[in-house]
Amino acid sequence: MADPVPANVLQIVDRWGGIPLCGALSLVARLLAPWRPVPKERPQRVLFVKFAEQGSTVLAQAAIRAACEMVGRENVYFIVFRENRFILDLLGLIPEENVVTIRRDTVRLLAVESFAALRRIHSLKIDTAIDMEFFSRSSASLTFLSGARRRVGFHTYFGDGPYRGNLMTHRLLYNPYLHTSQIFTQLVKGALQDAAQLPTYGVIPDPVERDPAAFVAKPGEEEAVRRILAEVSGVEGPFPLLLVNPNASDLLPLRKWETARYIELSRRLLERYPQAYIAMTGAPNEAGPIAEAARQVGSPRCFSVAGKTTLRQLMVLYTLSELLITNDSGPAHFATLTPIHVVTLFGPETPALFGAPTDRNTPIWLGLSCSPCVNAYNNRQSACRNNLCMQGITVERVFEEATRSLEKRGVVAPGGAACPLL
């Protein structure tokens, strides 16, 4: 299978193709409005439009459950890029057959698959579509083209966000002071509001859920992952396992902490915990660089599992490990569905909005005056070319947080109590 169209290409298409498309569709929406009024009855079938960012889908759990309570789980649908459906299947909140996927191997295939997805959505008679991509023009266009007569999404009223036309019937103001999980839920509840009264929205947000649903391995999955670990490490085990994820998504490379620092951190952790092993994780297309990083640690107790597990096996690996250290990316959210403790490094974004809402997560964020520099308003673009917000996070700081987390879990340095085994 070909690599998907890069995120930066999608952003260029969304900008330069999305502006005229949203403008044209807004004119169509205005002409059709008298003949297609907003339904007065409650929503019957809900479609979530959420193409990318599997990690943020974890934060949408409360919103998905709210939609299921409103119309029944069998009447809740999702449209996503094919590679991003995994987390929906993992959460199991809606039927797997209700997930509509789009492949994006090439720009042409993306267009063809989008058309096919719209045909299927029209056949479902969706009456309510919720745009969860905030200020994306492509998602706004697809939300309109879904045929739903009730369309919920954020609107640019006074230039507070990128132009994307006037395609929503229920136009909400984006509130940058709410956690992302609350924002998603706000969208669902917005479908029940009087469209004529919006953006005035007199609903107090629900508290942020503190404990996401737990991942449970199926019979035989743990043993299969243990075999992978034994093959890669050369040790049958058991041993305490720490995970290091030295990658960052191509959507926002500013989030990356230098690989050299992960290498130094790994050496210090192995020295501090001589009974522990470190596995470096990553996507299959990063297997080579991550394997090289593991080699540079210079210890037989450090190895790479990048590209050696399926996504589901990666979740099982989290359940078998004590700690994950990662940039702010999808794994930081996936892991919080398991008992592992996560230390998450934030820079161009803030944990106040995107931090995993669980006590099993320790965010590290410097809070520089220029950080966060990316947000929903600027479509996660940044003029920054020198991520001081990540460079300023020292190995010593991460090491201290890691050891503090491990000690709470009973993993101690020599001379302390016995540590739990893998």
Side-chain angles (χ1 to χ4, degrees):
M1 185 180 70
D3 291 336
V5 177
N8 63 328
V9 174
L10 293 179
Q11 290 172 337
I12 293 172
V13 172
D14 187 78
R15 179 177 181 181
W16 296 111
I19 291 176
L21 179 60
C22 285
L25 291 178
S26 295
L27 177 60
V28 174
R30 184 174 182 179
L31 294 174
L32 292 178
W35 291 274
R36 292 180 58 82
V38 178
K40 293 182 179 179
E41 64 271 14
R42 287 174 61 88
Q44 301 297 312
R45 289 194 168 189
V46 174
L47 171 72
F48 286 109
V49 180
K50 185 75 177 76
F51 296 132
E53 289 288 276
Q54 292 184 83
S56 63
T57 303
V58 175
L59 300 178
Q61 290 181 80
I64 299 171
R65 282 194 288 267
C68 291
E69 292 172 3
M70 186 166 59
V71 301
R73 69 186 296 268
E74 71 279 3
N75 294 314
V76 177
Y77 298 82
F78 246 87
I79 183 166
V80 297
F81 289 139
R82 185 176 62 174
E83 68 271 18
N84 292 323
R85 73 166 294 162
F86 163 74
I87 197 64
L88 287 168
D89 293 339
L90 182 70
L91 293 172
L93 297 175
I94 64 173
E96 291 187 9
E97 60 270 22
N98 285 18
V99 181
V100 181
T101 60
I102 295 176
R103 293 192 310 172
R104 57 180 182 113
D105 299 353
T106 64
V107 173
R108 179 181 178 278
L109 183 60
L110 174 62
V112 171
E113 291 265 310
S114 298
F115 180 75
L118 282 171
R119 289 188 62 185
R120 183 188 171 191
I121 289 169
H122 275 266
S123 72
L124 296 171
K125 307 297 183 184
I126 298 293
D127 61 83
T128 301
I130 299 175
D131 182 4
M132 302 182 79
E133 291 288 358
F134 297 168
F135 290 105
S136 163
R137 300 176 182 95
S138 57
S139 63
S141 300
L142 190 141
T143 299
F144 173 74
L145 293 172
S146 70
R149 291 168 61 185
R150 181 187 289 106
R151 301 180 298 276
V152 187
F154 293 112
H155 182 70
T156 300
Y157 282 91
F158 304 105
D160 47 349
Y163 169 83
R164 59 178 201 158
N166 187 10
L167 300 175
M168 304 299 156
T169 60
H170 289 60
R171 306 183 304 171
L172 304 183
L173 282 171
Y174 175 76
N175 187 341
Y177 302 101
L178 293 179
H179 189 270
T180 301
S181 61
Q182 293 174 300
I183 291 173
F184 287 146
T185 305
Q186 175 190 359
L187 287 167
V188 175
K189 293 187 175 182
L192 301 177
Q193 303 300 306
D194 180 356
Q197 300 300 316
L198 294 171
T200 302
Y201 191 175
V203 176
I204 297 176
D206 294 332
V208 177
E209 290 190 358
R210 298 301 302 170
D211 226 346
F215 166 79
V216 178
K218 296 178 181 178
E221 288 186 324
E222 287 192 3
E223 184 57 36
V225 173
R226 290 180 195 275
R227 287 197 297 270
I228 293 173
L229 289 172
E231 179 181 347
V232 176
S233 68
V235 179
E236 287 295 330
F239 48 76
L241 184 62
L242 316 181
L243 303 180
V244 169
N245 183 58
N247 67 336
S249 72
D250 62 346
L251 182 64
L252 195 58
L254 287 174
R255 295 187 295 197
K256 185 174 177 60
W257 201 48
E258 291 182 18
T259 301
R261 297 191 178 192
Y262 278 111
I263 293 171
E264 181 183 348
L265 175 66
S266 298
R267 290 169 178 162
R268 292 196 59 180
L269 288 171
L270 290 173
E271 181 181 3
R272 176 70 173 262
Y273 303 101
Q275 76 276 38
Y277 283 68
I278 288 179
M280 289 191 172
T281 65
N285 62 349
E286 299 167 315
I290 291 178
E292 174 60 21
R295 187 193 66 79
Q296 289 186 32
V297 173
S299 170
R301 290 187 289 125
C302 181
F303 51 88
S304 169
V305 293
K308 301 181 185 298
T309 65
T310 64
L311 284 171
R312 188 168 179 88
Q313 287 174 329
L314 181 63
M315 296 296 295
V316 177
L317 180 63
Y318 293 152
T319 70
L320 298 176
S321 306
E322 300 295 336
L323 179 70
L324 168 66
I325 302 170
T326 178
N327 306 286
D328 167 33
S329 55
H333 293 285
F334 305 156
T336 58
L337 297 173
T338 74
I340 195 173
H341 194 94
V342 184
V343 174
T344 311
L345 314 184
F346 281 87
E349 294 184 296
T350 168
L353 296 182
F354 299 102
T358 171
D359 294 334
R360 298 187 299 277
N361 178 53
T362 300
I364 298 178
W365 184 56
L366 298 183
L368 302 182
S369 60
C370 59
S371 174
C373 62
V374 298
N375 53 59
Y377 292 133
N378 61 23
N379 259 343
R380 308 182 82 180
Q381 301 291 308
S382 176
C384 178
R385 297 296 178 267
N386 186 18
N387 62 344
L388 299 177
C389 55
M390 296 299 294
Q391 297 172 39
I393 299 176
T394 63
V395 172
E396 180 64 27
R397 171 78 183 278
V398 181
F399 178 75
E400 289 176 356
E401 293 293 351
T403 55
R404 186 177 295 112
S405 300
L406 288 170
E407 287 169 4
K408 288 181 179 179
R409 295 175 64 89
V411 181
V412 297
C419 64
L421 298 178
L422 176 70

